[in-house]
Amino acid sequence: MTDLPRSHLASHIRKSPLPHCRGSVQLLKASNRDGEGADCLSLRLRALQSVVAMKLLSQIFLPALCGILLSAGTAAADTLILPAPVMDRNAIVNVIYKLGHQITGSGKASIHWTDSLGRVVDDRTVPVELIDEDHFSFPIDLRRSVAMKNTLHVHLSFDGKDMKQQAQHKDEDVEASFVARPPEKEWRDYVIIMWQQYKKNLIPDLEKLGINAGQYSGRSNSLPEFFIDNNVRWYSEGIGTDFYSTYHRYRTDRPYNWDLLQAEELLKKNPTSLEPFKRHPSFWDPVWRNKIHDRLVEDAKRNAPYRPVFYSLSDEAGIGNLAGFWDFDFSDQSLLPMRRWLRDQYHTLAALNKEWGTNYTSWDLVTPPTTHEAMQRKDDNFASWADFKEWMDISFADALKMGTDAIHEVDPDAYVGVGGGQMPGWGGYDYARLTHALTEIEPYDIGDNIEIIRSLNPNMPMVTTGFANGKWEKHRVWYELLHNNRGLIIWDQKHEYVGDDGNAGQRGQEAGAYYNELRDGVGAQIINSQLMTDRIAVHYSQPSMRTEWMLARKPEGDAWMTRSPKAERSDNDFLRLRESWCRLIEDQGLQYNFVSYMQLEQGELLKGGYRVLVLPQSSSLSAAEVSAIREFISQGGIVIADGEPGTFDEHSRRLPQSPLADLFGGPHNQPITVHEFGKGKAIFVKTDTLNYHQNRLVHKEGPVHELVGNLLRSNGIRPEFAVTDAKGKPVVGVETHVYRNGGVRLITLISNPQLRVNELGPPEFRSNERFETPVTVNISLPEPMYVYDVRACKTLGQKGMLTVTVNPYEPIILAAAPGPLPELQVSAPSEARRGDLVQLGFDVPHTPASVDVVHVDVVDPQGNRALTYSGNVFTDNGHAMKTIPLAFSDAAGKWTIKVHDLLSGKEQSFSLSVN
């Protein structure tokens, strides 16, 4: 029995016959496999006289007794105790080897650390000396980690004596797993995400194309082991779609908008009922809010150790169907908090009645009208209706903020957003609110929402989704990068990027080149620079959107009930006017910021140092906005309006007269009417700004382009880096961005076609053919500067002006500095051993740049790029370090380290002999 393992000891004892004895059960001795004896118990029993009594003892009491004996003689198993199951990769930590009992003696512990990539991270043997101790510790250097999934295996060989001086020999194997959390706490680099799930063995082939992340359902209770094993991060998708997108979500057995179709049917059956306008679930339903909160918390607990790229609360979320209009939410769960909100806004019932034109006698009775009812009013007082629509914007934003906060309870540094963000407008898409409810977003580029987002929250990462291929898709990816995007989600339903054989498919071959260019530092250099604008503000007014929608739809009666989200996008003069002003400014070689109605009230124009404010059909203004506009003009600002602003208040109630009538009132007999006020000007523009976005496609933009250009230039608004044609005029269809990076400027030029061109009016406007040919332009610098072609890795020398040709589908990216950029100095060893931490030092002495991105490629002796060790390094005031943790399993031989300084374009190469 002493040779049996512990796991078989009990069954062996129970199966043994009762020892022959006279009136006693003899001493049983149980031993473990390490030779440790244990005198468990000796019992004296009275002689059993009958066979029946003996049988009873053998069947009942003896198994219980032997269980006691075994329990008393079993030593605890050896274990490894880690500081935590999840650890950051920036420290040396101690691991405790815990023995089952105290012991004195000596031996050795062989430490073998591997990761999911098959690397032997650490492989060493340490001596162990113990004096009446039950544990020892040894350090591991987490800087050696490159993979998330790690296994630590320790073999202990030990000889000594226990507390009873009995000889002990240990020959034990124990192991523990841990997660080395990815270091990307901040979103500083470009990320390319594959939405569809490829086979596990093909993920490394996607990485070769520059695709470095994936998507995984946030509703799954398991982890994506296929990503973890390949050390690929992911984003958690659609965690709360049933709450945030219930009226637009995928189902296997019914249309995506099935819930909305049911509401429409209810309305047809009973047009006076409010039931079709009750959202299920309401954003204020406490049961649903708790349910979603708890689900998000659980998802964060599951995913946080692996630092997801971001958490997506929902895809294509909204109050109803995308950005479609519907009269939600008349449920009691919504109306009760709405009344509390109204009370906070108006303070007294009398004030509300005065604004709404109602005579409520109790707050409990206050109920907004339906859209049908609001359209019946003859006085153009839509305040009660508009307040209800504002409440729904608040409800949507509040629900999203609840979701963001739930994730942050567990993962406080996480990026939390939604996918498929819609155009500014209905569905809850008031970006003045959403940019502070979320910390990330994947918006469809509609109605210049990406310009609004980057204006209202420049630190909010955006990603775009790629559905297509070809030259215009390549252009779109570059275009979105230059408009503040930090990543790309690829939709590849047919698995066209990589075949089952691991070879790149047509889409993969086509995109791989520019994906890798984006990933190899160009994207990071743009992301870590700050877009400069030309002190032009464009008013972003959700109240004006509501007013203009009502004025446009009211003559059509109840036709709004059948308007699709696409109709809201394509049949929308308010949106098109905004687009036209954006293209007008861009075609002057200028950039702008949107300033929201909230920011305007808070004095952003003067605080932000703006010179010009554009009011695109800003019909609804609050008293605070009016005051801010007047103050801005009096202090020397220029305000341009294309319609009389402020004819309605912020609640969509028509005023007897605009409070700005003295500055923008008629008559308007000329294309431009100027009123001077204080040190500034109020300018009314009477021209076809609305159709500029489509007229520019067919060379019909001339009069408006010239008029607005002259207006801006005559008031001192000129680009710092002027881009002109051979005649010295601004170039239509070439957009200029200038980024500040300390004392360095990044100047980018890219063709500027019309997005969603197929949705414009007549056929002649549905083509970007005008912008499909290369354009040669001149760039005038504010002073002679040293210029570098970032993408071509060329030094162009000192220039006051230079001539370049803009490819229709790719950008030009130049770096310009007052003096020559200092050369990057790299310190790197020439020799290393496997298992070493190879330290690379980067120094750019006296650099004018605040962040210089350095790309490092590590090539193994077989000539393969070691993606695990390669990547981008960010200098801080010209200094940076990078650690290459060579594995014990890495190949010996000549390795090559290639270094590329993104700003100067200089490249260097170093040899590293590894043995």
Side-chain angles (χ1 to χ4, degrees), residues 676-875:
E676 295 187 357
F677 180 73
K679 299 177 182 178
K681 300 174 185 177
I683 302 174
F684 189 95
V685 175
K686 183 182 179 182
T687 188
D688 186 15
T689 51
L690 171 62
N691 293 306
Y692 181 85
H693 68 287
Q694 62 182 20
N695 286 336
R696 67 195 286 270
L697 300 176
V698 291
H699 299 270
K700 294 181 179 180
E701 79 289 339
V704 177
H705 181 261
E706 185 175 355
L707 183 146
V708 172
N710 289 336
L711 177 60
L712 293 172
R713 286 187 291 274
S714 65
N715 284 282
I717 306 300
R718 299 173 182 270
E720 182 182 12
F721 295 84
V723 176
T724 57
D725 60 18
K727 297 179 180 179
K729 294 184 177 181
V731 182
V732 174
V734 174
E735 186 176 12
T736 305
H737 291 92
V738 179
Y739 299 85
R740 179 191 296 112
N741 192 306
V744 177
R745 297 293 181 267
L746 287 169
I747 305 109
T748 71
L749 308 181
I750 191 167
S751 65
N752 195 10
Q754 176 65 31
L755 301 182
R756 298 180 179 270
V757 69
N758 61 317
E759 294 181 355
L760 298 185
E764 64 266 25
F765 297 117
R766 297 181 184 178
S767 170
N768 279 309
E769 183 178 353
R770 178 182 182 179
F771 307 122
E772 293 178 354
T773 57
V775 179
T776 299
V777 300
N778 297 317
I779 306 175
S780 297
L781 284 67
E783 60 182 356
M785 302 178 78
Y786 288 82
V787 183
Y788 303 81
D789 188 326
V790 172
R791 295 188 64 206
C793 302
K794 290 182 179 179
T795 301
L796 303 181
Q798 189 177 32
K799 302 284 185 180
M801 187 183 78
L802 65 158
T803 300
V804 298
T805 299
V806 181
N807 183 294
Y809 311 109
E810 300 181 38
I812 287 175
I813 303 177
L814 306 174
L821 291 176
E823 186 170 342
L824 172 68
Q825 297 177 3
V826 182
S827 60
S830 59
E831 296 182 351
R833 295 176 301 175
R834 286 174 288 181
D836 280 355
L837 293 175
V838 176
Q839 300 286 350
L840 304 181
F842 304 93
D843 186 52
V844 191
H846 310 295
T847 178
S850 57
V851 179
D852 191 348
V853 176
V854 178
H855 181 73
V856 178
D857 267 336
V858 179
V859 181
D860 69 16
Q862 288 73 44
N864 299 313
R865 184 185 185 194
L867 294 175
T868 300
Y869 302 143
S870 302
N872 297 320
V873 180
F874 305 93
T875 66

Side-chain angles (χ1 to χ4, degrees), residues 107 211 261 301 337 351 370 483 531 573 605 679 727 830 897 914:
I211 300 167
L261 295 175
K301 287 179 180 178
T370 64
H483 289 78
L531 177 66
D573 283 353
L605 294 178
K679 299 177 182 178
K727 297 179 180 179
S830 59
I897 300 173
V914 176

